[in-house]
Amino acid sequence: MLFSGEVADKIVESTNEIFTGMVMMQIEAIDPPAEPLGQFKNSITGLIGLAGTFKGVLAVHFTNDIAMAVTGSFLGLEVEEVNEDVHDAVGEIANMLGGDLKAILSDKGKDIQLSLPSTIGGEEYVFNSRDVGEQLLLAFKVPAGVFYVEAELEK
């Protein structure tokens, strides 16, 4: 089992560290929804791919409001629209989480490569990974609402 309780706990811990230490925002892990997320409205998703001994994807999903609040806190700016700064910040959060996931899964990290981070967003879109491998969905609460960290891996 790739996403044992220990691995999931480490991803929660990593997300907490990134948000409290880098984003300067307190978060709280909450129970994730029972159903897959699927469709997003007025949202942005940061993605990082993994290849090597483990392959798959890590995604972090924010509503636009949460993404702007996170970016504002991360950069110390007032953010009033989803712009390049927001996409960059969401991509960087996905990148940091991907790097931590790589370290969690691999002792030395040389057997797993990460893609460059990318983002998708819009008024309405569907996020479907390949439905191959093991899936993990984590939910976190911030003052502006709830965001999700989703991972799918196969060995």
Side-chain angles (χ1 to χ4, degrees):
M1 223 169 109
L2 299 176
F3 291 121
S4 66
E6 182 181 348
V7 171
D9 289 347
K10 286 182 179 180
I11 296 170
V12 168
E13 185 180 314
S14 170
T15 305
N16 269 313
E17 287 174 8
I18 288 167
F19 273 79
T20 57
M22 303 286 289
V23 179
M24 304 307 186
M25 187 179 277
Q26 295 298 315
I27 64 171
E28 176 189 356
I30 60 172
D31 290 335
E35 297 296 312
L37 298 175
Q39 188 165 12
F40 294 91
K41 293 181 186 290
N42 298 313
S43 296
I44 182 169
T45 296
L47 302 160
I48 193 94
L50 292 91
T53 54
F54 291 92
K55 58 185 176 183
V57 65
L58 179 132
V60 58
H61 308 287
F62 299 104
T63 63
N64 287 346
D65 288 343
I66 295 171
M68 290 186 293
V70 165
T71 302
S73 187
F74 195 21
L75 301 178
L77 309 169
E78 189 69 34
V79 179
E80 297 179 5
E81 65 178 349
V82 175
N83 55 25
E84 193 174 321
D85 287 339
V86 174
H87 281 269
D88 288 348
V90 170
E92 184 53 33
I93 290 168
N95 192 43
M96 288 186 281
L97 284 168
D100 287 351
L101 178 59
K102 176 180 171 176
I104 291 165
L105 295 172
S106 173
D107 201 14
K108 303 278 188 255
K110 292 185 173 100
D111 56 342
I112 300 174
Q113 293 78 44
L114 299 179
S115 71
L116 293 174
S118 60
T119 59
I120 56 171
E123 288 182 29
E124 193 170 319
Y125 62 95
V126 175
F127 177 82
N128 278 334
S129 48
R130 300 172 326 186
D131 286 334
V132 178
E134 201 170 318
Q135 297 179 325
L136 174 70
L137 178 61
L138 301 170
F140 298 90
K141 187 175 182 189
V142 294
V146 176
F147 73 92
Y148 303 95
V149 175
E150 185 174 10
E152 182 180 288
L153 288 176
E154 63 179 297
K155 191 163 183 172

